[in-house]
Amino acid sequence: MAALQWLTPRKRSATARSVLAGEAAAEAALAAPAAHAQEPEAPAHAGPERSGGAGEADGDGAAPAFPVVGDPYAAAFFDLDNTVMQGAAIFHFGRGLYKRKFFHKRELARFAWQQAWFRLAGSEDPEHMQDARDSALSIVKGHRVEELMSIGEEIYDEYMAEKIWPGTRALAQAHLDAGQRVWLVTAAPVETATIIARRLGLTGALGTVAESVGGVYTGRLVGEPLHGPSKAEAVRALASAEGLELSRCAAYSDSANDIPMLSLVGHPYAINPDSRLRRHARAEGWRLRDYRTGRKAAKIGIPAAAGVGAVAGGTLAAVALHRRRR
């Protein structure tokens, strides 16, 4: 997989760590069992898409139906948080871990404060980000991957299943019905992302990879969190390994942070977009979909409204907050 970074051109924004994170995510996704082993839940029905310009809904022109049925070189890549699922998957997962007394309130408060600082400062200071990652990874160190997977299955049923956006779920199903592969691409831990993909009957998931040896976490990441340019690198690596043509592929996201990933494919969608992505999508002629209520949509992208969002993002530390109370 290491050689994949040389197979296709990339923008200069990619770093060695983002390439490593992307390739690790692709390798983990390809090594996971097939997602279709479990029957997915029935999605809400959505008719075939039609190619068209930007807008809240596509026009009724004579363009061919999308996705294209029977195209072996096409696939779809879906961001998870606020695109497929309402809210942050790691927040829902953190709720389940907290319920099971995996970590203390003081730990939750510390991670929430770190994330709130990132959001309110409007920038990602490298030292602060490294401190947050080190705090989370120090907790996961020494615990088994299988423990996270087992509890994750329970937590999906408790908190996540009811948070799936029916509209986005239907879009994913349209790609599956057309015979295409569908992958989640998320900064959430790959273990959590894989569970969600399997429950939805998707092909698989690309997520942040925490290093493990012998099934035990070492307390280090492979590369960096799968975020921004790293997502694009993961999609690029997977496409190379699977023989996909990115110009025929589709990508869906709610966040301007995913513009690198959306820009890779021939069919980018802005789903429940934040204000920056909405502006960018309209300028580029990308298609838009918004499955939120008007009131919820109006609040997106306002830094001062960190509130619950800051706490949700702060629980990123629950990548595996595995330290039980003694």
Side-chain angles (χ1 to χ4, degrees):
M1 185 65 68
L4 290 176
Q5 60 177 296
W6 305 110
L7 295 180
T8 53
R10 62 174 53 83
K11 294 182 178 180
R12 293 291 183 181
S13 58
T15 65
R17 289 181 63 83
S18 66
V19 171
L20 178 60
E23 292 179 352
E27 188 170 2
L30 293 171
H36 289 288
Q38 178 168 323
E39 188 69 20
E41 303 169 3
H45 175 73
E49 291 288 322
R50 293 184 178 275
S51 298
E56 301 309 315
D58 292 333
D60 295 323
F66 180 80
V68 177
V69 176
D71 185 351
Y73 302 104
F77 301 95
F78 284 79
D79 170 56
L80 178 58
D81 296 345
N82 290 321
T83 301
V84 171
M85 175 181 292
Q86 299 176 45
I90 202 62
F91 171 63
H92 301 311
F93 188 69
R95 290 174 62 194
L97 290 182
Y98 183 74
K99 175 183 177 181
R100 290 163 174 78
K101 300 183 179 180
F102 270 57
F103 58 97
H104 298 283
K105 286 183 178 180
R106 64 177 177 272
E107 294 168 323
L108 179 63
R110 182 174 75 251
F111 294 122
W113 166 248
Q114 289 171 330
Q115 182 67 11
W117 191 93
F118 297 153
R119 287 172 178 257
L120 295 175
S123 62
E124 296 180 340
D125 181 87
E127 292 186 6
H128 283 266
M129 293 185 69
Q130 186 64 47
D131 180 59
R133 288 198 292 268
D134 289 347
S135 297
L137 291 169
S138 68
I139 294 174
V140 73
K141 183 178 180 179
H143 291 275
R144 301 196 64 83
V145 175
E146 62 185 17
E147 181 182 15
L148 179 63
M149 295 294 289
S150 177
I151 293 176
E153 296 282 357
E154 300 173 4
I155 292 174
Y156 178 86
D157 291 325
E158 292 173 1
Y159 297 112
M160 299 181 183
E162 63 182 16
K163 299 296 184 180
I164 303 300
W165 290 107
T168 313
R169 177 69 184 90
L171 291 174
Q173 188 63 44
H175 285 278
L176 293 171
D177 291 343
Q180 297 182 8
R181 286 158 284 185
V182 178
W183 301 85
L184 292 180
V185 189
T186 175
V190 66
E191 295 85 359
T192 302
T194 298
I195 290 170
I196 296 170
R198 185 174 66 251
R199 291 301 191 94
L200 297 179
L202 308 183
T203 308
L206 298 158
T208 297
V209 178
E211 183 185 74
S212 63
V213 175
V216 177
Y217 289 112
T218 66
R220 295 185 294 270
L221 289 182
V222 179
E224 62 186 13
L226 202 68
H227 179 266
S230 296
K231 283 190 178 182
E233 293 302 319
V235 169
R236 192 192 309 274
L238 185 68
S240 295
E242 294 283 272
L244 301 171
E245 292 187 12
L246 289 171
S247 63
R248 302 188 186 188
C249 293
Y252 301 78
S253 179
D254 72 298
S255 173
N257 292 323
D258 288 338
I259 288 175
M261 177 180 75
L262 294 169
S263 299
L264 278 181
V265 301
H267 301 279
Y269 272 79
I271 303 293
N272 305 327
D274 62 28
S275 57
R276 284 181 56 212
L277 179 57
R278 185 180 294 274
R279 288 194 301 270
H280 187 88
R282 285 176 169 162
E284 295 294 326
W286 294 353
R287 286 165 287 186
L288 291 93
R289 292 287 184 279
D290 203 323
Y291 300 119
R292 303 164 297 190
T293 65
R295 186 167 179 266
K296 288 182 180 178
K299 294 182 179 180
I300 301 301
I302 303 175
V308 174
V311 176
T315 353
L316 176 61
V319 155
L321 294 175
H322 275 54
R323 183 171 62 195
R324 293 184 181 273
R325 290 178 177 171
R326 301 298 182 184

